[in-house]
């Protein structure tokens, strides 16, 4: 028994073809939207590539760009088929291509669904990428005179100002690295010497943070040095001075920013997938309803359209049998080639008569 069998007359077939033509062009615009989202996300990731450890995060925008291009191509082609199906003579030339095309559409829709899921599931990979990238970026913050790293200070400062964050996980991350360049340290000062000697690695560590960690909403001038020393400042307790420095780490801020963006894009791609599925189902009904016309010379006659010619179970079984036949055919060919090779390798025995 066919799955989702529907009866069509000439009027219904024309309406279906016209509706599918319109839906396909809407899908082309949806493909442009997906392409634009991927391009936008790629640009946003490129802006902060210095604080990302690897290029895994670019898998999502690259996939969106590819799906957008394929969606425009597939739906533009389907729109042409639907337009030509209004004329039986024009539709006849598309008949040999429709089944392979629908098979490609099926796999394309699986890819779209996979990309939508990836948009929701990339949070873990993005978090580890940001954590390591920000750690390296903070380490190179002081290298303003080193070629290839001289821009890192500006990058980190602009990042902390824009996203209202400080450090990797929090402002105390700056206490564990030397973020002040040796160029600006007075090595004749006893305080500087003592700090460097007190550190195993010979680094100048302070309980201070860059100026970009300061919260402009704070009612008092920003305290960025001796942050944890309450006695060094009048009427100050660093544990209660929430407005002095940004309390949120940049990893959390960036993760929230990119995760929200990817989740929104994933929801849009999921809607596009549902729309593409409905277009594919409609195209299959149109194909079968046109091919099942009993008398092609009488376009007014009724016909039947369906999604699957047999039930879902029977269709699955026949697909498995087809795959097995293909496998057996390939095996027979391989055995035949092997036998020919063995025969060709044998050399006839030569007997000499004396």
């Amino acid at each position: 028994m066919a799955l989702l069998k529907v009866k069509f007359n000439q009027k219904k077939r024309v309406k279906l073809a016209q509706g599918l033509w319109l839906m396909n062009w809407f899908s082309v615009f949806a493909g442009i939207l997906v392409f634009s989202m991927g391009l936008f996300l790629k640009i946003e990731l490129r802006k902060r590539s210095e604080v990302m450890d690897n290029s895994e995060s670019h898998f999502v925008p690259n996939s969106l760009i590819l799906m957008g291009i394929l969606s425009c191509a597939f739906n533009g082609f389907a729109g042409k088929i639907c337009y030509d199906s209004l004329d039986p003579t024009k539709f006849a030339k598309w008949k040999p291509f429709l089944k392979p095309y629908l098979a490609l559409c099926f796999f394309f829709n699986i890819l779209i669904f996979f990309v939508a899921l990836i948009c929701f599931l990339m949070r873990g990979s993005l978090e580890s990428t940001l954590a390591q990238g920000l750690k390296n970026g903070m380490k190179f913050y002081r290298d303003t005179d080193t070629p290839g790293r001289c821009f890192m200070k500006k990058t980190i400062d602009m990042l902390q100002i824009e996203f209202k964050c400080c450090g990797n996980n929090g402002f105390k991350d700056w206490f564990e690295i030397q973020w002040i360049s040796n160029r600006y340290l007075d090595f004749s000062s006893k305080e500087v010497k003592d700090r460097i000697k007190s550190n195993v690695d010979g680094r100048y560590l302070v309980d201070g943070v860059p100026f970009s960690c300061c919260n402009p909403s704070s009612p008092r001038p920003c305290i960025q040095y001796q942050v944890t020393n309450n006695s060094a400042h009048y009427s100050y307790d660093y544990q209660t001075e929430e407005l002095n420095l940004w309390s949120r780490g940049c990893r959390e801020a960036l993760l929230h920013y990119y995760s929200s963006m990817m989740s929104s894009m994933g929801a849009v791609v999921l809607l596009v997938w549902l729309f593409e599925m409905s277009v594919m189902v409609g195209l299959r009904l149109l194909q079968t309803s046109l091919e099942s016309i009993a008398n092609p010379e009488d376009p007014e006659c009724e016909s039947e359209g369906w999604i699957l010619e047999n039930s879902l179970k029977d269709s699955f079984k026949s697909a498995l049998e087809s795959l097995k036949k293909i496998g057996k055919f390939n095996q027979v060919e391989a055995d035949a080639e092997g036998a020919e090779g063995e025969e060709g390798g044998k050399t006839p025995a030569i007997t000499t008569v004396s």
Side-chain angles (χ1 to χ4, degrees), residues 81-190:
I81 293 174
C82 294
Y83 182 79
D84 285 351
S85 64
L86 297 172
D87 185 352
T89 56
K90 288 183 179 179
F91 176 75
K93 67 179 180 181
W94 295 115
K95 277 188 178 182
F97 303 103
L98 277 175
K99 282 188 179 179
Y101 174 74
L102 285 168
L104 285 174
C105 285
F106 178 75
F107 288 110
F108 171 67
N109 284 322
I110 290 175
L111 286 176
I112 290 182
F113 184 73
F114 176 72
V115 170
L117 287 182
I118 290 295
C119 288
F120 293 109
L121 301 175
M122 276 296 287
R123 183 184 174 90
S125 175
L126 189 62
E127 185 173 8
S128 60
T129 296
L130 286 168
Q132 190 59 40
L134 282 166
K135 186 178 178 181
N136 293 334
M138 290 170 63
K139 192 190 299 180
F140 302 141
Y141 182 88
R142 64 174 181 167
D143 297 339
T144 51
D145 298 325
T146 306
R149 298 178 187 171
C150 54
F151 60 86
M152 191 56 74
K153 178 185 180 300
K154 180 183 177 182
T155 300
I156 296 292
D157 283 334
M158 293 302 294
L159 178 69
Q160 293 187 146
I161 291 169
E162 182 182 351
F163 286 90
K164 299 179 179 181
C165 59
C166 184
N168 193 340
N169 299 305
F171 67 88
K172 288 187 178 180
D173 292 337
W174 289 107
F175 301 173
E176 300 171 3
I177 62 171
Q178 180 182 338
W179 55 273
I180 301 173
S181 174
N182 289 337
R183 180 182 178 182
Y184 304 105
L185 294 176
D186 182 7
F187 288 95
S188 63
S189 168
K190 185 178 181 301

Side-chain angles (χ1 to χ4, degrees), residues 171-172 227-228 230 236-242:
F171 67 88
K172 288 187 178 180
V227 174
T228 55
N230 293 334
Y236 175 74
D237 183 359
Y238 83 94
Q239 292 181 330
T240 59
E241 292 281 342
E242 295 180 359

Side-chain angles (χ1 to χ4, degrees), residues 212-256:
S212 52
C213 283
C214 295
N215 184 351
S217 301
S218 176
R220 68 185 297 161
C222 181
I223 295 172
Q224 64 180 110
Y225 292 105
Q226 294 185 333
V227 174
T228 55
N229 187 358
N230 293 334
S231 61
H233 313 282
Y234 177 72
S235 183
Y236 175 74
D237 183 359
Y238 83 94
Q239 292 181 330
T240 59
E241 292 281 342
E242 295 180 359
L243 290 177
N244 181 48
L245 303 175
W246 301 119
S247 58
R248 185 168 65 161
C250 289
R251 178 173 58 86
E252 181 188 345
L254 282 172
L255 185 63
H256 179 265

Side-chain angles (χ1 to χ4, degrees), residues 294-306:
N295 184 10
E297 295 179 0
D298 181 16
E300 297 291 334
C301 68
E302 290 189 349
S303 62
E304 290 184 340
W306 56 81

Side-chain angles (χ1 to χ4, degrees), residues 8-47:
F8 288 92
N9 53 28
Q10 173 68 4
K11 189 176 179 180
K12 283 184 178 180
R13 285 194 295 268
V14 169
K15 282 186 177 180
L16 178 61
Q18 290 173 339
L20 284 172
W21 178 83
L22 189 62
M23 288 175 71
N24 274 296
W25 286 111
F26 274 124
S27 295
V28 170
F29 290 119
I32 294 171
L33 175 63
V34 172
F35 175 83
S36 303
M37 289 192 306
L39 197 61
F40 174 75
L41 181 58
K42 194 170 186 67
I43 292 169
E44 285 297 302
L45 290 171
R46 285 284 183 190
K47 282 182 184 177

